[in-house]
Amino acid sequence: MDTSVSDLSIEPLGESKFVKPFSIVFTQDGKRRRWDCVEAHDSVSCVLYHTEKHAFLFVRQFRPSLWYYQTRGGEVGEELGVSNELCAGIMDKGLSPEKTIIEEVLEETGYEIEAVSKITSSYTALGFGANKQTIFYALIDESMRRTKGGGVDDEKIECIFVPESEIMDFIFDERRVKAPNLQFGILWFTQNILPTIQI
């Protein structure tokens, strides 16, 4: 993936529409404590399985925070900061989780789905953020394709298909950065849904 990123710098955080840092001061077991936190939007994500290609659809994109972590640790390579992810989005538009992920799927992948099915919800970043993420799944085929995808505004998203036959190698390949929700979602889907749609 050509990230075309240059002139990166680290700067103090000012006002942000995405995150809000703050501290919680409290007494526990008679001892005064302080806990630094970040308030962030809840989010949604979706396992997408293409029934004609017999493949899972993921998105790849450059994540500056990942780049920072990798370079700080001395990692090198052509794709620093590039992650493999479920199609996902933050809950910042006042829509339901279902409507939010349906909109994100169209924007990021170009596939128009009418409905999603919920897998589960969980809390992430418990040590400093504790926002909620809901994971869905949906089946897609080429009749649903409306655009080439790639995101909106200044997003630069690449769509990739991973064949069903290679999915276990993919989710456990540590060279390909991914989040636990992708691994969990795929494992759940392959156990609970995939056996019911085999052709």
Side-chain angles (χ1 to χ4, degrees), residues 71-136:
T71 57
R72 186 181 64 172
E75 294 185 39
V76 295
E78 296 180 5
E79 293 200 335
L80 288 178
V82 176
S83 63
N84 300 273
E85 306 174 14
L86 297 178
C87 178
I90 58 174
M91 300 277 297
D92 64 342
K93 299 176 183 176
L95 302 174
S96 68
E98 291 81 4
K99 288 185 178 179
T100 299
I101 194 58
I102 287 171
E103 185 176 281
E104 290 292 337
V105 169
L106 180 59
E107 291 176 358
E108 294 187 359
T109 72
Y111 288 89
E112 184 176 38
I113 55 178
E114 295 184 359
V116 290
S117 298
K118 181 178 176 180
I119 298 176
T120 193
S121 292
S122 60
Y123 290 89
T124 62
L126 297 178
F128 62 89
N131 56 319
K132 189 175 185 180
Q133 181 175 87
T134 303
I135 304 178
F136 298 94

Side-chain angles (χ1 to χ4, degrees), residues 3-146:
T3 59
S4 300
V5 175
S6 61
D7 301 323
L8 288 161
S9 63
I10 309 300
E11 302 177 358
L13 177 65
E15 289 293 320
S16 170
K17 64 180 181 178
F18 299 109
V19 295
K20 175 185 174 185
F22 63 96
S23 295
I24 298 175
V25 181
F26 60 101
T27 299
Q28 185 178 36
D29 297 328
K31 182 179 179 181
R32 200 70 175 148
R33 301 186 62 189
R34 179 187 189 95
W35 201 272
D36 296 333
C37 303
V38 175
E39 180 181 317
H41 293 286
D42 290 341
S43 63
V44 289
S45 60
C46 191
V47 174
L48 295 170
Y49 182 78
H50 198 294
T51 57
E52 295 167 339
K53 295 179 183 288
H54 303 285
F56 292 90
L57 175 57
F58 302 111
V59 296
R60 283 167 41 89
Q61 57 188 313
F62 176 74
R63 294 294 196 182
S65 55
L66 174 61
W67 171 88
Y68 174 75
Y69 178 85
Q70 290 176 317
T71 57
R72 186 181 64 172
E75 294 185 39
V76 295
E78 296 180 5
E79 293 200 335
L80 288 178
V82 176
S83 63
N84 300 273
E85 306 174 14
L86 297 178
C87 178
I90 58 174
M91 300 277 297
D92 64 342
K93 299 176 183 176
L95 302 174
S96 68
E98 291 81 4
K99 288 185 178 179
T100 299
I101 194 58
I102 287 171
E103 185 176 281
E104 290 292 337
V105 169
L106 180 59
E107 291 176 358
E108 294 187 359
T109 72
Y111 288 89
E112 184 176 38
I113 55 178
E114 295 184 359
V116 290
S117 298
K118 181 178 176 180
I119 298 176
T120 193
S121 292
S122 60
Y123 290 89
T124 62
L126 297 178
F128 62 89
N131 56 319
K132 189 175 185 180
Q133 181 175 87
T134 303
I135 304 178
F136 298 94
Y137 75 89
L139 305 180
I140 58 174
D141 59 48
E142 284 306 290
S143 72
M144 301 174 183
R145 182 178 283 282
R146 300 293 177 264

